[in-house]
Amino acid sequence: KASRQLAKKKKGSNNFNKQKFVVAKIHEKIANSRKDFTHKMTSKLINENQVIGIESLKVKNMVKNRMLSKHIHDANFGEIVRQLEYKADWYGRTVSAISQWFPSSKMCSNCGEMYSGKWSLAIRTLSCECGITHDRDQNAATNIHTESLRLLVT
Ligand SMILES: [Zn+2]
């Protein structure tokens, strides 16, 4: 709303400059609360878990995907990974990053069946022949969990 109001002001006018300051303050507030949230979340993950498995997604490639880029920028994914890694170092935890080629969302976490074709992001659940209906994210998370632990023992 503040940005929209700024757009209505005459560039260089006193009101424009005042409104520009208001917009900058809001941006700063958002950035700070996001930073605060990220730190709290990564600290909690490190405190509560001995091992954290992550999927080493190519963040740059995903940011090119317009549909995903907004969410990833909002979540500040690269910064989350960076914090997890140094906090794991501090507290003696392990971060296990699985390969970006690992088919975390294309495999049934129950029977190992591979789903062929494109599983569009709009499809949130999938029923496998083994009788299980998966939530897309839950299935991927289970696969990442199993794979990240497998990497640690081999
Ligand atoms: Zn299955």
Side-chain angles (χ1 to χ4, degrees), residues 23-35:
V23 171
K25 272 280 172 208
I26 292 170
H27 277 303
E28 195 187 328
K29 232 178 159 180
I30 293 169
N32 281 338
S33 69
R34 190 177 290 164
K35 246 186 239 161

Side-chain angles (χ1 to χ4, degrees), residues 108-113 115 126-134 139:
C108 172
S109 58
N110 186 51
C111 70
E113 174 80 18
Y115 306 127
L126 203 108
S127 301
C128 181
E129 283 175 7
C130 70
I132 280 214
T133 298
H134 293 294
N139 180 56

Side-chain angles (χ1 to χ4, degrees), residues 1-18:
K1 193 177 164 197
S3 301
R4 262 185 279 129
Q5 278 171 348
L6 178 66
K8 285 182 201 157
K9 312 267 186 241
K10 196 178 162 209
K11 248 189 184 165
S13 70
N14 274 342
N15 281 335
F16 177 87
N17 290 335
K18 257 190 255 169

